[in-house]
Structure formats: C-alpha cells, structure tokens
C-alpha cells in the first residue's frame, strides 16, 4: 500500500466534472491525482474512431451556447477556446417534417426580446402574446411539469417550447420540471441573443473538451491514472481514510481529500446512504457518413419528424433524439431509414441510397429532469470532511449538461481550495444536503 503525498486532492472520474475539478485545482497549485476507470477520459462527452464508418465520431451531439459561462471558462483555462465554432449570431434553423416549411428563430442581441414581435425572427403562425404566456413558468411550483404550465395546443408549444424542453432537459415536456425549464430559459433566451449563440466543437468533443485538459494537467504536474477503478472508500466517523482501487489501495494523509466525480449510480454504490436521481432518459444518435452541400447550416431542428436535431460535422451528418424512449428499442436498420428521411429533407439530399450509418443508443444518457428526480440531487459536500461530490447529477440547479458538469467540478475544486477542514486550507465546509439526502442523513455511518 502506498501512502499518498500530503495535501493531495484525489479526483475520481475523468468526465467533464472530474476534468474541470482537476484543472482548477492544478492551476491553483494543488497536487492532483486523477483516477479514471476507463482507458480514456471524457466519460459521456468524448470522440472515438468508428471502424465501420472509417472516421472519428462523437459519442453524442453536444451543443453549447455562448451563455454557458462555466464551459467557456473551462475552455479558456485549457487553451481550447479556439477549437469551437458557431454562427456570428443566434440563429436556430428549423424544418417541419410534415409540411416541409422552413424557418429560423433569431433572438436579437440585448435583453429586450424584439425578435418575438417580428414574423421573420419568430416561429411562423405564432403571436407575441404566446411567448409572454411562458412567463407563467416563473411561478411554477416544485412539482409542476412543463406540459402542465403551457398551452399544449399552441403552435408555439409544438414548434419551440417542447423541442427546447426535450433538448435541454432530455426529458419529455409531460415529465420535465417547469422550474428547471424556466431556469434554462432565463439563462439563455432571457439573456438575449448573445447568450444564445450556438457553439460546437470544430473537430470533435475530445479535441475540444478532453485532450487539451489532459495536456494542461500533465504540464501542471498532475498525475493521471487510466484503468484505475475505484471499488470502495474506507470511512472513519468524520473522514475518508482510504481509496480502494481494483489495483490496490491508497491511504489518505490527514490533509488529503477526495472529489468523487463518478456517475450518480457509482457514487451511490460507494457512499453509504447517498440518495441520487435513479431514473434515466435515453438519447439515440445516428451518424451518417456523407458529404454535405457547401454552406449547409451547422445544425437543423426537425419538428414532427423522427430526428430532432441534425448536426453537420466533417464528413458526417449526425442525428440526436433526446428522451428517446419510443425509439430506443427499434433496430439499427429501422432507425437508419427513419432518420435518413428527415436528414435528406433537412439538408436537401437525395432520399436514396441511404448512406452508411452508425446508430448509438445511450439508454442511461442522463437522469430524468422530473420534479421528483430533481429532489434526489445531493449537495456537493458530505458528512465526511474530506469527501466532495461532483458530476452532472449533483444539485447544480441546471439539468444534466456539459455546463452543469463543469460548474460542479469547479465548485468542488473551490470548496477543496477554500475549506478549512484539516484536509483543506481556508474557509468552512458547508454540510448542507438536499431534502432527500437530509432525510437519509441518519443512515450515514
Ligand atoms: C448521447 C449524449 C448526448 C448529450 N448531449 C448533450 C448536449 O447536447 N449538451 C450538453 O450540455 N450535455 C449533453 N449531454 C450530457 C453530458 O454529456 C453530461 O452531462 C456530462 O458529460 C456528464 O459529465 P460527468 O463528468 O458528470 O459524468 P461522466 O461523463 O459520466 O464522467 C464520469 C467518469 O467517471 C468514470 N468512472 C465511473 N466509475 C468509476 C470508478 N469506479 N472509478 C473511477 N472512475 C469511474 C467514468 O468512466 C467517466 O469517465 C449528453 C450526454 C449524452 C450521453
């Protein structure tokens, strides 16, 4: 058994939450050891080579908005701001699969939403009044769903609120928390077009979010261990004393600490009594190997089809369907044919032959953002003074997204840096837990 260096922070899990925590700690001069079970970093946000298609693909299409301040801060810290691209203005092109009607939603710059007053910047067949009705979400109680708060018969619901809910919360409007959707609207459309400008990685998710972070960490002397799977933690009444990995254990010194940045289910397995969201929502992606016409949009939203969002990448057109319960059990060839109809329509391509495709089903892509599941999100501090939690499932106030994961990693790092418990240096450790976790607090050893 090796004894870790004093004052070291062990970050377990090298998804975006763990990477963000490690980057922030390392740049603050802390000694960091990053442990990752897999042979690669990035978790649910990464790229890999697909032998069948003969090219690199992303495990899912991830869209950022210019208002995602956590994600942009992270990219700046790892020197990767130059790896993302997007249109100069906030433009969201749509096509209706039934009528083949096309339009673009164009939120204007500044806080006053002038775009909802003009036909050419708002959704066709809608009125400004319909948009103002969404202010009701602001008063939604904790148990209200999006569908219960908005008028589902309106065109605006079908053509904007519903697709935005599903895309941002990976949850159907019938089940999604109205409060959480309001939070998303407030952070995006509520802050004007500047905050809504869409951004995507120029090359791939790993080239933007993962490889530059690993390079920065190595430069700053962090130790990165792949194939290092945490099996268990050893608990003392008020602290963690040991990390048990498949390959052996690490005893923690009195001022060592742990940021657990593994997915919710894994965290609940190693932390006794921890309550976490336990219902998941699937995402289905289809990657078609084909060229796109010059000047084709970076992405298109499809209303009333099977594909929901289609992204143009290098040599690939890529479909994303969130909250995909109704599609996830279809065969790959069925999905390929269903999606291609929408892709061909959106990008004005021939409907035959259907190009080679890779279908990727993520059955447990993110936790479901329903009111009941949100109440199960834990806070980042625990009753153990040197154990912090990070990940998209902790109580960030945001849905399970890149932005949420990165903010949680930054927050955990800040707590580790500022806290005054023996493992840390500085302020105090906040032991607040979410309601669900407070109820289970007594079960903690
Ligand atoms: C298909 C898909 C599409 C998505 N689209 C979007 C989008 O458009 N926009 C957006 O913002 N978000 C999107 N998301 C969500 C986003 O990817 C996640 O919220 C985010 O990546 C979660 O990061 P994380 O670090 O919390 O968790 P993870 O990425 O799950 O990272 C956890 C890490 O811990 C490691 N680990 C697990 N167990 C152990 C162990 N015992 N010991 C050591 N390591 C362990 C895992 O291997 C993993 O690397 C999408 C997700 C998916 C799956």
């Amino acid at each position: 058994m090796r004894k870790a260096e004093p004052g070291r922070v062990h970050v377990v899990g090298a998804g975006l939450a763990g990477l963000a925590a490690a980057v922030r700690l390392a740049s603050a001069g802390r000694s960091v050891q990053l442990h990752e079970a897999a042979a690669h970093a990035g978790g649910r946000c990464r790229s890999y080579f697909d032998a069948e298609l003969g090219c690199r693909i992303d495990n899912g299409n991830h869209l950022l908005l210019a208002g995602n301040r956590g994600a942009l801060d992270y990219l700046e810290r790892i020197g990767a701001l130059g790896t993302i691209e997007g249109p100069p203005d906030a433009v969201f092109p749509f096509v209706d699969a039934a009528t083949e009607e096309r339009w673009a939603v164009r939120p204007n710059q500044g806080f006053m939403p002038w775009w909802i007053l003009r036909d050419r910047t708002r959704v066709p067949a809608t009125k400004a009044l319909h948009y103002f009705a969404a202010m009701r979400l602001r008063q939604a109680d904790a148990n209200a769903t999006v569908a219960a708060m908005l008028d589902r018969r309106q065109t605006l619901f079908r053509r904007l609120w519903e697709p935005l809910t599903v895309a941002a919360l990976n949850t159907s409007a019938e089940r999604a928390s109205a409060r959480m959707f309001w939070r998303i609207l407030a952070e995006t459309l509520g802050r004007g077009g500047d905050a809504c400008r869409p951004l995507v990685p120029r090359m791939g998710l790993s080239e933007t979010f993962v490889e530059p972070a690993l390079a920065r960490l190595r430069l700053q002397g962090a130790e990165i261990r792949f194939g290092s799977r945490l099996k268990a933690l050893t608990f003392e009444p008020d602290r963690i004393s040991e990390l048990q990995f498949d390959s052996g254990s690490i005893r923690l010194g009195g001022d060592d600490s742990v940021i657990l940045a593994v997915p919710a289910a894994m965290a609940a397995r190693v932390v006794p009594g921890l309550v976490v969201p336990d219902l998941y929502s699937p995402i289905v992606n289809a990657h078609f190997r084909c060229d796109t016409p010059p000047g084709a949009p970076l992405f298109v939203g499809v209303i009333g089809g099977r594909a929901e969002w289609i992204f143009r990448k290098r040599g690939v057109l890529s479909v994303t369907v969130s909250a995909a319960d109704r599609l996830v059990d279809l065969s790959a060839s069925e999905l390929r044919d269903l999606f291609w109809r929408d892709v061909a329509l959106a990008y004005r391509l021939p409907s035959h032959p259907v190009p080679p495709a890779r279908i990727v089903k993520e059955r447990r892509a993110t936790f479901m953002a329903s009111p009941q599941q949100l109440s199960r999100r834990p806070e980042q501090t625990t009753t153990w003074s040197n154990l912090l939690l990070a990940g998209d499932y902790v109580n960030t106030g945001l849905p399970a997204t890149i932005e949420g994961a990165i903010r949680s990693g930054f927050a955990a790092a800040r707590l580790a840096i500022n806290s005054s418990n023996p493992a840390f240096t500085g302020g105090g450790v906040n032991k607040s837990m979410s309601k669900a976790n407070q109820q289970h607090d007594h079960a903690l050893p």
Side-chain angles (χ1 to χ4, degrees):
M1 188 178 298
R2 273 174 312 100
K3 162 124 177 31
E5 287 170 33
R8 173 164 282 188
V9 185
H10 293 268
V11 179
V12 184
L16 291 189
L19 287 172
V23 161
R24 187 119 190 188
L25 287 161
S27 61
R30 299 300 303 258
S31 164
V32 175
Q33 204 167 71
L34 178 60
H35 308 268
E36 167 57 49
H40 49 76
R44 280 169 281 161
C45 182
R46 65 190 174 83
S47 324
Y48 55 89
F49 182 78
D50 184 282
E52 205 170 300
L53 292 185
C55 63
R56 270 173 82 74
I57 56 175
D58 292 335
N59 75 315
N61 296 308
H62 286 63
L63 182 71
L64 278 185
L65 296 178
N68 291 153
R69 52 188 163 79
L72 294 189
D73 180 7
Y74 170 78
L75 293 179
E76 189 170 11
R77 282 169 187 270
I78 62 173
L81 267 182
T83 68
I84 51 173
E85 63 178 351
D89 300 307
V91 182
F92 293 83
F94 285 94
V95 60
D96 190 307
T99 61
E100 302 195 9
E101 193 177 0
R102 290 171 194 269
W103 68 92
V105 171
R106 298 169 188 273
N108 56 279
Q109 293 183 356
F111 287 94
M112 288 302 292
W114 303 114
W115 64 277
I116 65 178
L117 302 176
R118 299 185 195 115
D119 282 345
R120 58 174 196 85
T121 49
R122 68 185 176 198
V123 178
T126 62
K127 296 195 170 103
L129 268 182
H130 300 157
Y131 295 79
F132 287 119
M135 296 296 284
R136 292 191 63 213
L137 291 165
R138 199 176 175 180
Q139 268 90 46
D141 73 45
N143 294 317
T145 62
V146 172
M149 295 299 292
L150 299 175
D151 186 348
R152 303 171 64 179
R153 295 158 307 174
Q154 279 181 358
T155 303
L156 186 60
F157 182 83
R158 198 175 75 84
R159 285 185 163 182
L160 192 63
W161 300 142
E162 187 173 36
L164 288 188
T165 303
V166 172
L169 275 60
N170 188 25
T171 305
S172 69
E174 288 74 26
R175 304 181 85 167
S177 155
R179 272 195 184 172
M180 183 59 84
F181 186 49
W182 174 255
R183 170 85 193 260
I184 290 297
L185 290 183
E187 286 220 1
T188 53
L189 290 175
R191 291 170 57 210
D194 285 338
C196 299
R197 201 164 67 78
L199 297 168
V200 291
R202 184 171 290 127
M203 300 280 283
L205 290 172
S206 289
E207 287 80 357
T208 288
F209 290 101
V210 184
E211 303 306 337
L214 294 175
R216 182 57 55 105
L217 285 170
R218 288 191 179 106
L219 203 67
Q220 289 170 330
E223 196 182 326
I224 303 168
R225 296 176 163 204
F226 291 113
S228 187
R229 186 180 162 277
L230 183 76
K231 275 193 314 194
L233 299 165
T234 305
F235 295 92
E236 288 178 7
D238 63 348
R239 64 185 295 278
I240 306 294
S241 58
E242 187 183 50
L243 296 169
Q244 299 170 36
F245 292 95
D246 283 343
S247 52
S249 298
I250 296 177
R251 225 174 146 82
L252 300 181
D255 47 6
D256 290 350
S257 54
V258 178
I259 294 178
L260 192 60
V262 296
M266 185 67 217
R269 212 171 301 153
V270 295
V271 179
L274 182 71
V275 174
V276 295
D278 56 359
L279 284 182
Y280 293 86
S281 214
I283 295 181
V284 173
N285 282 273
H287 307 278
F288 291 94
R289 187 84 164 102
C290 62
D291 292 324
T292 45
L298 263 186
F299 64 90
V300 178
V302 180
I303 303 298
R306 297 306 180 111
E308 284 170 356
W309 297 90
I310 307 167
F311 291 81
R312 169 174 62 78
K313 308 207 165 166
R314 288 176 317 135
V316 171
L317 280 171
S318 200
V319 170
T320 285
V321 180
S322 301
D325 304 79
R326 69 190 194 290
L327 294 182
V328 75
D329 291 323
L330 296 185
S331 71
S333 66
E334 283 173 297
L335 289 170
R336 193 181 70 125
D337 293 349
L338 283 174
F339 289 150
W340 182 253
R341 265 180 244 162
D342 292 341
V343 177
L345 168 69
Y347 280 86
R348 303 177 198 274
L349 292 167
S351 49
H352 290 286
V354 179
R358 160 70 72 197
I359 307 292
V360 184
K361 299 174 180 177
E362 296 266 6
R363 288 180 187 272
R364 291 158 67 97
T366 67
F367 75 86
M368 187 183 289
S370 66
Q372 187 264 348
Q373 288 293 301
L374 293 174
S375 75
R376 296 176 64 88
R377 299 177 92 178
E379 299 300 325
Q380 297 200 246
T381 52
T382 70
T383 48
W384 296 279
S385 59
N386 61 345
L387 177 64
L388 296 162
L389 305 177
D392 63 358
Y393 72 93
V394 304
N395 194 8
T396 57
L398 295 171
T401 50
I402 291 177
E403 179 68 10
I406 288 175
R407 283 200 208 172
S408 80
F410 279 169
R414 266 196 311 271
L415 284 163
I417 292 163
N418 295 332
S419 169
S420 69
N421 90 64
F424 309 129
T425 55
V429 176
N430 164 19
K431 290 212 171 87
S432 67
M433 307 274 278
S434 72
K435 268 205 180 111
N437 280 278
Q438 279 166 0
Q439 282 157 16
H440 288 74
D441 213 2
H442 63 276
L444 302 176

